[in-house]
Amino acid sequence: MAADLTTNPLQLLPLELVDEWIGSRIHIEMKSDEETVGILLGFGDFVNMVLEDVTEFEIIPEGRRITKLDPIFLKGNNIPMLVPGGQGPEI
């Protein structure tokens, strides 16, 4: 699935683009009020993902909760936006 680095990014399929992010830090905005930042280990056809070195940011009535997590699995249908190289929301 890996694309040639000389390929025009506009000619890549979405999953080919995500494949280039494996091993990189990625910022994920979830459908809920949560955002997750971690290193992408892998993903499937439905953009289900496995992340490590994960930090979860959640908005709560008292402000923002930041939680460090072990490797996690995220279902792709809960992910509306991916930001490669993202560090998470401003604190």
Side-chain angles (χ1 to χ4, degrees):
M1 226 189 228
D4 184 351
L5 294 178
T6 61
T7 302
N8 181 347
L10 299 176
Q11 296 175 338
L12 292 176
L13 295 173
L15 292 180
E16 290 176 325
L17 186 59
V18 175
D19 190 50
E20 290 185 9
W21 301 339
I22 290 179
S24 300
R25 185 158 296 283
I26 187 168
H27 174 194
I28 302 169
E29 289 197 18
M30 308 296 287
K31 284 184 179 177
S32 62
D33 285 336
E34 296 177 6
E35 297 180 40
T36 304
V37 175
I39 296 173
L40 179 63
L41 294 181
F43 68 98
D45 290 340
F46 298 103
V47 195
N48 297 326
M49 307 187 155
V50 177
L51 302 171
E52 70 177 356
D53 189 23
V54 180
T55 304
E56 182 180 72
F57 302 87
E58 182 179 9
I59 296 173
I60 57 174
E62 296 80 26
R64 182 173 299 212
R65 180 182 354 196
I66 300 172
T67 309
K68 292 293 233 176
L69 301 171
D70 290 331
I72 62 170
F73 174 83
L74 294 175
K75 285 193 55 84
N77 64 345
N78 293 318
I79 303 172
M81 188 168 76
L82 304 171
V83 181
Q87 296 300 312
E90 292 183 16
I91 298 175

